[in-house]
Amino acid sequence: MTLYDRPDAKAFILHRGEMGTQWGVNRSVAQIHARLYLSERPMHAEQITDTR
């Protein structure tokens, strides 16, 4: 089960992207930040881009 299979995590990531645009942060950057925040361990760029 991936993080995106969890409805609460997916909603958090999408909402964080929306909030980011209101704060002047790029939506993708805000979503990556949310993904890293929820991650149990550090992730390298390839892992982040492979996340669906």
Side-chain angles (χ1 to χ4, degrees), residues 6-28:
R6 293 179 34 207
D8 58 334
K10 185 175 181 177
F12 175 76
I13 292 168
L14 293 175
H15 184 67
R16 187 72 176 208
E18 291 294 322
M19 290 171 46
T21 60
Q22 298 298 315
W23 298 333
V25 177
N26 180 287
R27 178 187 313 263
S28 298

